[in-house]
Every structure is written in C-alpha cells, then in structure tokens.
Amino acid sequence: MTDAVENAGAAQPTTGAARGVTSVSDEVVEKIAGTAARAVPGVADLGGDVSRFFNSVLDKIGLDEVGDARRGVSADVKGSSAVINVVLVIDAGHVVADVTEAVRAAVIEAVEKYGLTVTQVNVTVDDIELNQPGAAAGA
C-alpha cells in the first residue's frame, strides 16, 4: 500500500502551511495604507502632480471613485513583509517632519493589524496645499 492509502484515516495536521498558502496582494496593502495616510491631520491629498491631474479629469466626467483608493501609494509585498511608498500633499502651515512621521506611524499600524510586517514606509512630499478654506478670509 502507498502512504496515501495507509494514512487515509489518520488525522491531518491543522497548521495553515499544511492546508495552503495565504498571500496578500500589493493592491490590498495600497488601499489600507492609502486610507490610513488620508486620515492623518495635515495630509491634503495623496499622489503626485500627474496622478492628481488625471484624478481631477476623472472627477469631471463622473468617475470620481476610480483610482482613489490606491492613488499615491505603492506597495511591494513579499510573503508577509511589505515595503510601502506614499506620495502626499501637505496642508500649508503643518510641519513636514511631523506630518510624514504621523503618516509613517499610521500606515505601519494599519497594515500590521492585518498580520503583515512593514519593513519600510517611504514618504515623499510632492506638493503643499495653499488654498485652505478660510485662508483667504484673513487676507
């Protein structure tokens, strides 16, 4: 008899590795990280100039939800580790170092809640938002 037939009635191991592999796509991590970064005070928007331009065009033609969840964020997931890059626009009047450290901490916390290990969060400040509501009222 073969081992498969002999062991057919034996209890199988219950560890995850014995029953399959779980992987998390880059896109999922990008959405989690983008949501966390947007929630940080001082973050006006995510994405570089080109992605924000295309997003504004999509907004004007009624496709305002397309690409928003991942815009400005890229992730490279290998196994259970992730390297995340965030491109953001900060609100005028906020200290860049404070905002970027808060973004880094928020992204790490959010992604690691899903069982992944974040090895790096690289933050690029691409622009500053000068047109804040109420800013012109004092002028």
Side-chain angles (χ1 to χ4, degrees):
M1 268 193 182
T2 65
D3 283 340
V5 174
E6 288 175 359
N7 294 323
Q12 297 296 315
T14 58
T15 61
R19 296 195 177 203
V21 176
T22 300
S23 60
V24 179
S25 74
D26 295 351
E27 180 180 358
V28 169
V29 172
E30 290 164 359
K31 288 179 178 181
I32 296 165
T35 300
R38 280 183 184 83
V40 172
V43 173
D45 203 356
L46 295 182
D49 294 334
V50 173
S51 68
R52 290 193 322 273
F53 169 76
F54 282 114
N55 191 64
S56 70
V57 171
L58 291 171
D59 288 351
K60 289 176 185 172
I61 61 172
L63 299 173
D64 53 342
E65 297 297 318
V66 176
D68 279 349
R70 296 177 25 205
R71 182 170 39 96
V73 182
S74 64
D76 184 21
V77 180
K78 297 218 184 325
S80 64
S81 297
V83 174
I84 302 166
N85 299 300
V86 180
V87 179
L88 57 87
V89 179
I90 64 167
D91 286 322
H94 285 83
V95 177
V96 172
D98 293 346
V99 174
T100 57
E101 281 305 311
V103 166
R104 190 171 284 110
V107 167
I108 290 169
E109 180 181 355
V111 172
E112 289 189 345
K113 282 183 181 176
Y114 286 85
L116 297 171
T117 300
V118 177
T119 57
Q120 286 183 3
V121 176
N122 303 306
V123 181
T124 301
V125 177
D126 184 68
D127 204 352
I128 186 168
E129 178 63 51
L130 297 174
N131 300 325
Q132 292 183 341

